[in-house]
Amino acid sequence: MTPPSHRLTADIVHSEAQLRALIGEPAALARAKITDRLNAVTRVFIERSPFVCLATSDAMGRCDVSPRGDPPGFVRILDERTLLLPERPGNRLADSLRNVLANPQVGLIFIVPGATDTFRVNGRATLTTDAALLAPCALEGRTPVLGLLVDIEEAYTQCSKAFLRSGLWDPARFVDPSVLPTGGQVHRAIQGEAFDAAKYDTERAERYRRREGFY
C-alpha cells in the first residue's frame, strides 16, 4: 500500500507507530476516565451546558461539525446511556442529519461558559420524531419535530489545556465583532460585488431581533 502524501510536503506521519514515537502513549489515568455511560458527577456537564458541537461524517468519511445551542440542559438525559438532542430550525442544508442517515457514529463536545474542562460523548445517533420524547424540548411555544437520540459508547472529560492556551474566557482577549466580516460580506466575497451585503445584514439582524425561525 502506498503511504499517503500531501501536495505541500513529503514530511508526513502515515502510521500509528510514527505517531506514538512523536507523542508517546497516554497515561493510565487518561485511559481510565473513558467510560460508556454517565454518572452523577459527569452528567452535570450536560445539565449545565448551553452549547454543544456535533461532529458527524458521511458514508465516505467526509466530516462536518455543527454548533448547537439553547438554554442550559437543552440536551436531555434520558438515562445513563442515552441523550436526546432536539433539532431546531436552521438553514435546511441538514449536513449533520444527512450524515447520520449514512453513518450513525457521532461525537459531541459539551461546553459550559466560564469552565475550562469540557465533556465529550461519542456514540451512535438515531433520528426520531417521537412526540412524547420531544415534548419536553419545547421552547417559546414550539416543539421540535425531530430529535437526535445518541446511544453513548464513550463519555469522558476533556482537560483544560486548549481553553487555557486560547484564553477563551478572558475578556481581555475578546474580539470586537466589527473587525470580522459580516455574513453579507462573506456572501459578497463568494458571489461577487453585485451582492447587496448591507441589505442582507440588515434583514438578517431584523429576523434575529424578532427571533424569527429560532424555534
Side-chain angles (χ1 to χ4, degrees):
M1 182 176 178
T2 304
S5 61
H6 193 279
R7 70 185 186 281
L8 297 181
T9 180
D11 296 327
I12 62 173
V13 175
H14 55 78
S15 71
E16 185 170 349
Q18 285 181 297
L19 175 65
R20 290 300 177 190
L22 289 168
I23 69 171
E25 296 288 339
L29 201 57
R31 294 184 187 274
K33 70 180 180 180
I34 302 174
T35 182
D36 63 355
R37 66 197 64 210
L38 304 177
N39 58 49
V41 175
T42 58
R43 65 180 287 141
V44 175
F45 284 95
I46 298 174
E47 293 168 342
R48 294 295 183 94
S49 174
F51 187 83
V52 62
C53 292
L54 168 66
T56 61
S57 64
D58 66 14
M60 300 296 292
R62 290 171 297 212
C63 297
D64 180 77
V65 177
S66 175
R68 305 297 174 94
D70 259 332
F74 75 100
V75 176
R76 293 184 60 208
I77 300 172
L78 302 186
D79 59 42
E80 64 181 1
R81 299 197 63 179
T82 318
L83 303 176
L84 176 62
L85 176 60
E87 181 64 21
R88 306 300 186 188
N91 56 23
R92 300 190 184 94
L93 292 175
D95 295 314
S96 300
L97 303 180
R98 291 186 296 111
N99 284 349
V100 166
L101 293 175
N103 174 7
Q105 297 298 138
V106 300
L108 303 169
I109 185 161
F110 291 89
I111 298 171
V112 179
T116 52
D117 277 4
T118 55
F119 191 66
R120 295 175 61 172
V121 169
N122 298 321
R124 293 178 61 85
T126 305
L127 301 184
T128 181
T129 59
D130 188 314
L133 287 177
L134 294 168
C137 300
L139 282 173
E140 298 186 10
R142 293 183 179 271
T143 302
V145 298
L146 192 63
L148 206 63
L149 284 168
V150 178
D151 292 306
I152 298 171
E153 295 176 341
E154 293 181 321
Y156 55 100
T157 53
Q158 178 72 46
C159 78
S160 296
K161 289 179 183 176
F163 279 75
L164 296 175
R165 286 191 292 250
S166 66
L168 187 67
W169 305 126
D170 180 359
R173 298 194 186 188
F174 288 1
V175 173
D176 184 340
S178 67
V179 307
L180 298 174
T182 66
Q185 289 168 341
V186 171
H187 271 291
R188 185 170 59 195
I190 295 170
Q191 300 185 43
E193 290 301 314
F195 184 84
D196 191 338
K199 181 174 183 288
Y200 174 90
D201 289 332
T202 299
E203 291 178 348
R204 186 174 74 162
E206 179 59 22
R207 290 195 302 273
Y208 286 2
R209 186 190 67 78
R210 298 192 305 265
R211 297 178 68 81
E212 182 180 313
F214 273 37
Y215 296 107

